[in-house]
mmCIF file of all heavy atoms in Angstrom:
data_model
loop_
_atom_site.group_PDB
_atom_site.id
_atom_site.type_symbol
_atom_site.label_atom_id
_atom_site.label_comp_id
_atom_site.label_asym_id
_atom_site.label_seq_id
_atom_site.Cartn_x
_atom_site.Cartn_y
_atom_site.Cartn_z
ATOM 1 N N TYR A 592 109.403 106.865 104.991
ATOM 2 C CA TYR A 592 108.568 105.745 104.546
ATOM 3 C C TYR A 592 109.422 104.515 104.239
ATOM 4 O O TYR A 592 109.053 103.396 104.566
ATOM 5 C CB TYR A 592 107.743 106.128 103.318
ATOM 6 C CG TYR A 592 106.517 106.958 103.627
ATOM 7 C CD1 TYR A 592 106.195 108.052 102.844
ATOM 8 C CD2 TYR A 592 105.669 106.638 104.684
ATOM 9 C CE1 TYR A 592 105.058 108.807 103.095
ATOM 10 C CE2 TYR A 592 104.536 107.400 104.955
ATOM 11 C CZ TYR A 592 104.235 108.473 104.157
ATOM 12 O OH TYR A 592 103.104 109.220 104.415
ATOM 13 N N ARG A 593 110.577 104.726 103.600
ATOM 14 C CA ARG A 593 111.476 103.595 103.322
ATOM 15 C C ARG A 593 111.926 102.926 104.612
ATOM 16 O O ARG A 593 111.974 101.706 104.721
ATOM 17 C CB ARG A 593 112.711 104.051 102.546
ATOM 18 C CG ARG A 593 112.507 104.182 101.073
ATOM 19 C CD ARG A 593 113.819 104.209 100.310
ATOM 20 N NE ARG A 593 114.842 105.068 100.834
ATOM 21 C CZ ARG A 593 115.097 106.304 100.411
ATOM 22 N NH1 ARG A 593 114.382 106.848 99.449
ATOM 23 N NH2 ARG A 593 116.083 106.991 100.935
ATOM 24 N N ASN A 594 112.277 103.726 105.602
ATOM 25 C CA ASN A 594 112.741 103.155 106.867
ATOM 26 C C ASN A 594 111.613 102.460 107.621
ATOM 27 O O ASN A 594 111.847 101.456 108.300
ATOM 28 C CB ASN A 594 113.424 104.213 107.722
ATOM 29 C CG ASN A 594 114.828 104.468 107.235
ATOM 30 O OD1 ASN A 594 115.591 103.538 107.038
ATOM 31 N ND2 ASN A 594 115.168 105.717 107.018
ATOM 32 N N LEU A 595 110.405 102.955 107.490
ATOM 33 C CA LEU A 595 109.266 102.243 108.065
ATOM 34 C C LEU A 595 109.060 100.909 107.335
ATOM 35 O O LEU A 595 108.739 99.894 107.959
ATOM 36 C CB LEU A 595 108.003 103.104 108.002
ATOM 37 C CG LEU A 595 107.947 104.225 109.039
ATOM 38 C CD1 LEU A 595 106.880 105.248 108.677
ATOM 39 C CD2 LEU A 595 107.702 103.659 110.428
ATOM 40 N N ALA A 596 109.269 100.904 106.030
ATOM 41 C CA ALA A 596 109.179 99.656 105.260
ATOM 42 C C ALA A 596 110.240 98.669 105.722
ATOM 43 O O ALA A 596 109.961 97.470 105.893
ATOM 44 C CB ALA A 596 109.319 99.944 103.764
ATOM 45 N N VAL A 597 111.456 99.148 105.940
ATOM 46 C CA VAL A 597 112.530 98.280 106.427
ATOM 47 C C VAL A 597 112.152 97.712 107.793
ATOM 48 O O VAL A 597 112.326 96.514 108.044
ATOM 49 C CB VAL A 597 113.870 99.053 106.509
ATOM 50 C CG1 VAL A 597 114.918 98.259 107.282
ATOM 51 C CG2 VAL A 597 114.377 99.395 105.117
ATOM 52 N N TYR A 598 111.641 98.548 108.655
ATOM 53 C CA TYR A 598 111.249 98.093 109.990
ATOM 54 C C TYR A 598 110.244 96.943 109.880
ATOM 55 O O TYR A 598 110.430 95.883 110.477
ATOM 56 C CB TYR A 598 110.642 99.249 110.793
ATOM 57 C CG TYR A 598 110.185 98.824 112.174
ATOM 58 C CD1 TYR A 598 111.041 98.895 113.256
ATOM 59 C CD2 TYR A 598 108.898 98.328 112.384
ATOM 60 C CE1 TYR A 598 110.638 98.493 114.521
ATOM 61 C CE2 TYR A 598 108.487 97.915 113.638
ATOM 62 C CZ TYR A 598 109.357 98.004 114.701
ATOM 63 O OH TYR A 598 108.964 97.595 115.951
ATOM 64 N N TRP A 599 109.161 97.155 109.122
ATOM 65 C CA TRP A 599 108.112 96.146 109.064
ATOM 66 C C TRP A 599 108.553 94.895 108.318
ATOM 67 O O TRP A 599 108.154 93.787 108.686
ATOM 68 C CB TRP A 599 106.832 96.738 108.491
ATOM 69 C CG TRP A 599 106.199 97.633 109.518
ATOM 70 C CD1 TRP A 599 106.065 98.985 109.475
ATOM 71 C CD2 TRP A 599 105.666 97.227 110.782
ATOM 72 N NE1 TRP A 599 105.487 99.448 110.630
ATOM 73 C CE2 TRP A 599 105.231 98.383 111.446
ATOM 74 C CE3 TRP A 599 105.516 96.000 111.415
ATOM 75 C CZ2 TRP A 599 104.644 98.345 112.708
ATOM 76 C CZ3 TRP A 599 104.928 95.965 112.676
ATOM 77 C CH2 TRP A 599 104.503 97.134 113.300
ATOM 78 N N ASN A 600 109.373 95.047 107.294
ATOM 79 C CA ASN A 600 109.897 93.860 106.618
ATOM 80 C C ASN A 600 110.818 93.077 107.540
ATOM 81 O O ASN A 600 110.824 91.852 107.518
ATOM 82 C CB ASN A 600 110.601 94.242 105.308
ATOM 83 C CG ASN A 600 109.609 94.399 104.185
ATOM 84 O OD1 ASN A 600 109.119 93.422 103.643
ATOM 85 N ND2 ASN A 600 109.290 95.640 103.850
ATOM 86 N N SER A 601 111.600 93.782 108.350
ATOM 87 C CA SER A 601 112.469 93.116 109.323
ATOM 88 C C SER A 601 111.655 92.366 110.370
ATOM 89 O O SER A 601 112.093 91.356 110.907
ATOM 90 C CB SER A 601 113.376 94.127 110.020
ATOM 91 O OG SER A 601 114.241 94.713 109.086
ATOM 92 N N GLU A 602 110.471 92.865 110.648
ATOM 93 C CA GLU A 602 109.571 92.211 111.597
ATOM 94 C C GLU A 602 108.782 91.083 110.936
ATOM 95 O O GLU A 602 107.987 90.412 111.591
ATOM 96 C CB GLU A 602 108.590 93.233 112.189
ATOM 97 C CG GLU A 602 109.249 94.260 113.086
ATOM 98 C CD GLU A 602 109.803 93.632 114.350
ATOM 99 O OE1 GLU A 602 109.090 92.860 115.011
ATOM 100 O OE2 GLU A 602 110.974 93.907 114.662
ATOM 101 N N GLY A 603 108.953 90.908 109.617
ATOM 102 C CA GLY A 603 108.261 89.834 108.906
ATOM 103 C C GLY A 603 106.873 90.202 108.426
ATOM 104 O O GLY A 603 106.132 89.345 107.941
ATOM 105 N N ASP A 604 106.489 91.473 108.534
ATOM 106 C CA ASP A 604 105.176 91.917 108.070
ATOM 107 C C ASP A 604 105.334 92.518 106.674
ATOM 108 O O ASP A 604 105.480 93.731 106.511
ATOM 109 C CB ASP A 604 104.588 92.943 109.039
ATOM 110 C CG ASP A 604 103.121 93.249 108.762
ATOM 111 O OD1 ASP A 604 102.674 93.080 107.608
ATOM 112 O OD2 ASP A 604 102.426 93.667 109.704
ATOM 113 N N LEU A 605 105.313 91.641 105.663
ATOM 114 C CA LEU A 605 105.540 92.089 104.286
ATOM 115 C C LEU A 605 104.422 92.982 103.767
ATOM 116 O O LEU A 605 104.662 93.853 102.937
ATOM 117 C CB LEU A 605 105.727 90.880 103.367
ATOM 118 C CG LEU A 605 106.918 89.978 103.683
ATOM 119 C CD1 LEU A 605 106.987 88.820 102.694
ATOM 120 C CD2 LEU A 605 108.212 90.754 103.689
ATOM 121 N N VAL A 606 103.207 92.794 104.263
ATOM 122 C CA VAL A 606 102.083 93.616 103.818
ATOM 123 C C VAL A 606 102.294 95.067 104.253
ATOM 124 O O VAL A 606 102.209 95.991 103.442
ATOM 125 C CB VAL A 606 100.735 93.061 104.346
ATOM 126 C CG1 VAL A 606 99.588 94.013 104.047
ATOM 127 C CG2 VAL A 606 100.469 91.688 103.745
ATOM 128 N N LYS A 607 102.593 95.252 105.538
ATOM 129 C CA LYS A 607 102.834 96.608 106.044
ATOM 130 C C LYS A 607 104.084 97.198 105.402
ATOM 131 O O LYS A 607 104.126 98.385 105.076
ATOM 132 C CB LYS A 607 102.984 96.594 107.559
ATOM 133 C CG LYS A 607 102.161 97.631 108.244
ATOM 134 C CD LYS A 607 102.302 97.513 109.742
ATOM 135 C CE LYS A 607 101.013 97.977 110.350
ATOM 136 N NZ LYS A 607 101.014 97.922 111.790
ATOM 137 N N GLY A 608 105.120 96.376 105.240
ATOM 138 C CA GLY A 608 106.334 96.836 104.578
ATOM 139 C C GLY A 608 106.049 97.317 103.172
ATOM 140 O O GLY A 608 106.558 98.352 102.737
ATOM 141 N N ASN A 609 105.222 96.576 102.440
ATOM 142 C CA ASN A 609 104.868 96.977 101.084
ATOM 143 C C ASN A 609 104.059 98.268 101.068
ATOM 144 O O ASN A 609 104.249 99.112 100.188
ATOM 145 C CB ASN A 609 104.099 95.866 100.376
ATOM 146 C CG ASN A 609 103.813 96.217 98.934
ATOM 147 O OD1 ASN A 609 104.710 96.523 98.159
ATOM 148 N ND2 ASN A 609 102.538 96.208 98.580
ATOM 149 N N GLU A 610 103.178 98.449 102.036
ATOM 150 C CA GLU A 610 102.393 99.685 102.110
ATOM 151 C C GLU A 610 103.313 100.905 102.215
ATOM 152 O O GLU A 610 103.129 101.903 101.513
ATOM 153 C CB GLU A 610 101.452 99.655 103.311
ATOM 154 C CG GLU A 610 100.283 98.718 103.161
ATOM 155 C CD GLU A 610 99.461 98.623 104.441
ATOM 156 O OE1 GLU A 610 99.577 99.496 105.324
ATOM 157 O OE2 GLU A 610 98.706 97.639 104.548
ATOM 158 N N TYR A 611 104.304 100.814 103.090
ATOM 159 C CA TYR A 611 105.226 101.939 103.256
ATOM 160 C C TYR A 611 106.142 102.103 102.043
ATOM 161 O O TYR A 611 106.479 103.221 101.666
ATOM 162 C CB TYR A 611 106.039 101.790 104.546
ATOM 163 C CG TYR A 611 105.235 102.147 105.768
ATOM 164 C CD1 TYR A 611 104.922 101.193 106.726
ATOM 165 C CD2 TYR A 611 104.770 103.445 105.968
ATOM 166 C CE1 TYR A 611 104.176 101.529 107.848
ATOM 167 C CE2 TYR A 611 104.029 103.784 107.076
ATOM 168 C CZ TYR A 611 103.731 102.822 108.011
ATOM 169 O OH TYR A 611 102.999 103.165 109.120
ATOM 170 N N THR A 612 106.513 100.999 101.421
ATOM 171 C CA THR A 612 107.320 101.086 100.202
ATOM 172 C C THR A 612 106.540 101.814 99.120
ATOM 173 O O THR A 612 107.088 102.672 98.416
ATOM 174 C CB THR A 612 107.709 99.668 99.720
ATOM 175 O OG1 THR A 612 108.452 99.026 100.742
ATOM 176 C CG2 THR A 612 108.542 99.733 98.454
ATOM 177 N N GLN A 613 105.270 101.481 98.982
ATOM 178 C CA GLN A 613 104.437 102.131 97.966
ATOM 179 C C GLN A 613 104.254 103.623 98.257
ATOM 180 O O GLN A 613 104.213 104.441 97.336
ATOM 181 C CB GLN A 613 103.074 101.430 97.850
ATOM 182 C CG GLN A 613 103.168 99.992 97.351
ATOM 183 C CD GLN A 613 103.944 99.869 96.058
ATOM 184 O OE1 GLN A 613 103.757 100.630 95.111
ATOM 185 N NE2 GLN A 613 104.864 98.918 96.008
ATOM 186 N N LYS A 614 104.183 103.982 99.528
ATOM 187 C CA LYS A 614 104.074 105.403 99.887
ATOM 188 C C LYS A 614 105.357 106.150 99.514
ATOM 189 O O LYS A 614 105.300 107.285 99.033
ATOM 190 C CB LYS A 614 103.778 105.566 101.379
ATOM 191 C CG LYS A 614 102.364 105.172 101.734
ATOM 192 C CD LYS A 614 102.096 105.338 103.223
ATOM 193 C CE LYS A 614 100.669 104.950 103.537
ATOM 194 N NZ LYS A 614 100.305 105.234 104.924
ATOM 195 N N ALA A 615 106.509 105.516 99.732
ATOM 196 C CA ALA A 615 107.789 106.133 99.345
ATOM 197 C C ALA A 615 107.839 106.303 97.835
ATOM 198 O O ALA A 615 108.232 107.363 97.334
ATOM 199 C CB ALA A 615 108.965 105.291 99.835
ATOM 200 N N LEU A 616 107.442 105.284 97.110
ATOM 201 C CA LEU A 616 107.436 105.360 95.646
ATOM 202 C C LEU A 616 106.461 106.422 95.143
ATOM 203 O O LEU A 616 106.742 107.104 94.156
ATOM 204 C CB LEU A 616 107.084 104.004 95.040
ATOM 205 C CG LEU A 616 108.191 102.973 95.031
ATOM 206 C CD1 LEU A 616 107.638 101.598 94.672
ATOM 207 C CD2 LEU A 616 109.298 103.367 94.072
ATOM 208 N N ALA A 617 105.325 106.558 95.805
ATOM 209 C CA ALA A 617 104.341 107.567 95.392
ATOM 210 C C ALA A 617 104.904 108.978 95.548
ATOM 211 O O ALA A 617 104.640 109.851 94.719
ATOM 212 C CB ALA A 617 103.055 107.417 96.207
ATOM 213 N N LEU A 618 105.696 109.197 96.598
ATOM 214 C CA LEU A 618 106.293 110.520 96.806
ATOM 215 C C LEU A 618 107.386 110.816 95.795
ATOM 216 O O LEU A 618 107.542 111.953 95.363
ATOM 217 C CB LEU A 618 106.870 110.645 98.216
ATOM 218 C CG LEU A 618 105.884 110.902 99.328
ATOM 219 C CD1 LEU A 618 106.605 110.929 100.667
ATOM 220 C CD2 LEU A 618 105.124 112.196 99.117
ATOM 221 N N ASP A 619 108.185 109.794 95.457
ATOM 222 C CA ASP A 619 109.303 109.998 94.531
ATOM 223 C C ASP A 619 109.532 108.716 93.729
ATOM 224 O O ASP A 619 110.412 107.917 94.053
ATOM 225 C CB ASP A 619 110.562 110.384 95.313
ATOM 226 C CG ASP A 619 111.633 110.993 94.421
ATOM 227 O OD1 ASP A 619 111.486 110.949 93.179
ATOM 228 O OD2 ASP A 619 112.609 111.510 94.967
ATOM 229 N N PRO A 620 108.733 108.518 92.666
ATOM 230 C CA PRO A 620 108.775 107.251 91.928
ATOM 231 C C PRO A 620 110.055 107.008 91.128
ATOM 232 O O PRO A 620 110.313 105.881 90.727
ATOM 233 C CB PRO A 620 107.573 107.339 90.989
ATOM 234 C CG PRO A 620 107.255 108.781 90.886
ATOM 235 C CD PRO A 620 107.719 109.423 92.158
ATOM 236 N N LYS A 621 110.866 108.015 90.919
ATOM 237 C CA LYS A 621 112.094 107.837 90.145
ATOM 238 C C LYS A 621 113.347 107.802 91.010
ATOM 239 O O LYS A 621 114.440 107.613 90.492
ATOM 240 C CB LYS A 621 112.220 108.945 89.097
ATOM 241 C CG LYS A 621 111.138 108.853 88.036
ATOM 242 C CD LYS A 621 111.307 109.888 86.969
ATOM 243 C CE LYS A 621 110.191 109.751 85.950
ATOM 244 N NZ LYS A 621 110.333 110.690 84.861
ATOM 245 N N ASP A 622 113.193 107.980 92.312
ATOM 246 C CA ASP A 622 114.342 107.948 93.202
ATOM 247 C C ASP A 622 114.965 106.554 93.179
ATOM 248 O O ASP A 622 114.282 105.567 93.458
ATOM 249 C CB ASP A 622 113.918 108.310 94.625
ATOM 250 C CG ASP A 622 115.082 108.244 95.586
ATOM 251 O OD1 ASP A 622 115.881 109.190 95.625
ATOM 252 O OD2 ASP A 622 115.191 107.223 96.294
ATOM 253 N N PRO A 623 116.238 106.457 92.834
ATOM 254 C CA PRO A 623 116.865 105.129 92.728
ATOM 255 C C PRO A 623 116.818 104.323 94.024
ATOM 256 O O PRO A 623 116.646 103.111 93.989
ATOM 257 C CB PRO A 623 118.313 105.447 92.338
ATOM 258 C CG PRO A 623 118.280 106.816 91.774
ATOM 259 C CD PRO A 623 117.144 107.530 92.452
#
């Protein structure tokens, strides 16, 4: 999910990037 967020943020799609970031956080909210 983090790497999908990086992909979409690199493409300039911050909305999609944020969606994947939130999914990563939901799976492991304390992971540094």
Side-chain angles (χ1 to χ4, degrees):
Y592 281 137
R593 278 198 314 263
N594 282 310
L595 284 164
V597 168
Y598 179 90
W599 287 112
N600 277 284
S601 296
E602 292 293 312
D604 191 335
L605 299 180
V606 172
K607 228 177 210 180
N609 184 55
E610 288 174 18
Y611 283 115
T612 300
Q613 295 307 314
K614 288 180 179 187
L616 283 168
L618 282 177
D619 197 350
K621 294 183 181 182
D622 178 80

